[in-house]
Amino acid sequence: MHMADALISPLVGGVMWGVTAAVTACSARKIKAGTDDGVVPLMGVLGAFIFAAQMINFSIPGTGSSGHLGGGMILSILLGPHAAFLTMASVLTVQALFFADGGLLALGCNIFNLAFLPCFVAYPLIYRTIVGAHASEQRVRVASIIAAVVGLQLGALAVVLATFFSGVSELPFTTFLLLMLPIHLAIGIVEGLLTAAVVTCVGKARPGVLATSAAPPLAPQPGSSRLLARWLLLAAITGGLLSWFASTRLDGLEWAIFHSSGREALSAPATDAHSLAAGLQERTAVLPDYNFRPAADSSAAGEVAATGGETGKPWPDVSLATSFSGLLGATLSMLLAGLLGFILLRPRQRP
């Protein structure tokens, strides 16, 4: 659900930048006021893991489409919503700046869809309501699936509404909506199962997380260093090796765009805002589309390409560029998320 700039008008992009900036400031204040210092390393390593996990698209049988883990629900359960929002925003920023995954003008929309909706709507209203005060593995599984589905359905709806109100892509509203919601329902079910598996494993490794999921115990505990090391190792393996096995099918958004428009590519409007965002992204994206930049890069920044089927990459894509992108992106996400937490909590540290 990483929106490209070709779907967004400067007005909608600017408004959503303002909305996410306000939520970021609010989350920062909340963390500074009442979060334990132990959240900082966990923000970093989970940011690295989510970046790496998002590189692995899984096929949706019978559709010709694919999806990937969003991660907002995992982060919310393990970090709490405010730290989770900042961690996810860090991951999305790294993806947009260094890998051209999602547009810079559309970054506010992407943070809202993939961070705000799971962290501040699906998690508190769905997950915590179902899990209640006395968590059990069964409740966690059910809550994870339902909350992931709700979060992705809201995100898919938000993509369609932002595209509609932008009015720059000429995608038919009804058709686009009827394609986006069902495909992201299937993706949401898979994400819910993955979320339940991850959270249950963490709960077994660190007893107490599931029982107090409304306020995760983030203070350093015996075994925390080993748990952090395992997350880092998992992120490295996922980004460096398992990313070779990502599905070559179009993701849910690209698939819906193709089947809504019948066109293989949607170009960004020729506005000053689009040109500025495209030029900046071209300079910062050292590994566009998680690949080495060709000697003469003639691709149009901000363009949404969709072929309706396979992306043309081999499977498995045994590629040094893919592995390097996974490791570099995970490292940058870890540094940015960890740095945010460190800056916010540093004034409270004592000698």
Side-chain angles (χ1 to χ4, degrees), residues 67-120:
H68 63 72
L69 181 73
M73 193 57 54
I74 291 176
L75 294 175
S76 297
I77 296 169
L78 299 180
L79 295 173
H82 299 99
F85 176 84
L86 293 182
T87 302
M88 180 59 74
S90 300
V91 172
L92 294 170
T93 300
V94 168
Q95 289 172 339
L97 279 177
F98 298 103
F99 302 93
D101 191 3
L104 288 183
L105 183 62
L107 182 58
C109 294
N110 289 329
I111 292 175
F112 183 84
N113 299 339
L114 287 164
F116 177 84
L117 292 174
C119 297
F120 294 114

Side-chain angles (χ1 to χ4, degrees), residues 166-347:
S166 292
V168 297
S169 68
E170 299 182 358
L171 289 173
F173 174 80
T174 302
T175 304
F176 193 30
L177 180 67
L178 293 177
L179 288 168
M180 282 290 286
L181 294 184
I183 196 64
H184 284 93
L185 172 62
I187 295 171
I189 293 172
V190 178
E191 175 165 359
L193 293 172
L194 293 173
T195 299
V198 170
V199 174
T200 301
C201 288
V202 173
K204 291 178 179 178
R206 191 173 180 181
V209 170
L210 300 186
T212 56
S213 58
L218 297 171
Q221 297 178 2
S224 292
S225 297
R226 289 193 299 272
L227 183 60
L228 293 175
R230 289 170 185 168
W231 277 114
L232 281 178
L233 178 61
L234 182 59
I237 294 174
T238 302
L241 297 177
L242 298 183
S243 56
W244 295 347
F245 299 91
S247 172
T248 59
R249 294 180 175 181
L250 300 177
D251 67 29
L253 176 56
E254 294 169 336
W255 177 87
I257 290 173
F258 175 79
H259 288 283
S260 297
S261 65
R263 296 162 58 189
E264 293 192 354
L266 301 179
S267 298
T271 69
D272 291 340
H274 283 87
S275 298
L276 179 63
L280 177 60
Q281 191 172 55
E282 186 176 356
R283 289 191 292 272
T284 62
V286 293
L287 291 161
D289 196 27
Y290 306 96
N291 212 332
F292 295 130
R293 188 189 293 271
D297 190 355
S298 60
S299 62
E303 182 179 84
V304 178
T307 61
E310 306 291 326
T311 61
K313 292 183 178 180
W315 191 93
D317 184 15
V318 181
S319 165
L320 175 61
T322 301
S323 297
F324 183 70
S325 296
L327 295 174
L328 177 63
T331 301
L332 292 174
S333 298
M334 178 179 65
L335 292 176
L336 182 55
L339 181 62
L340 278 175
F342 178 78
I343 292 173
L344 291 173
L345 296 175
R346 181 177 174 80

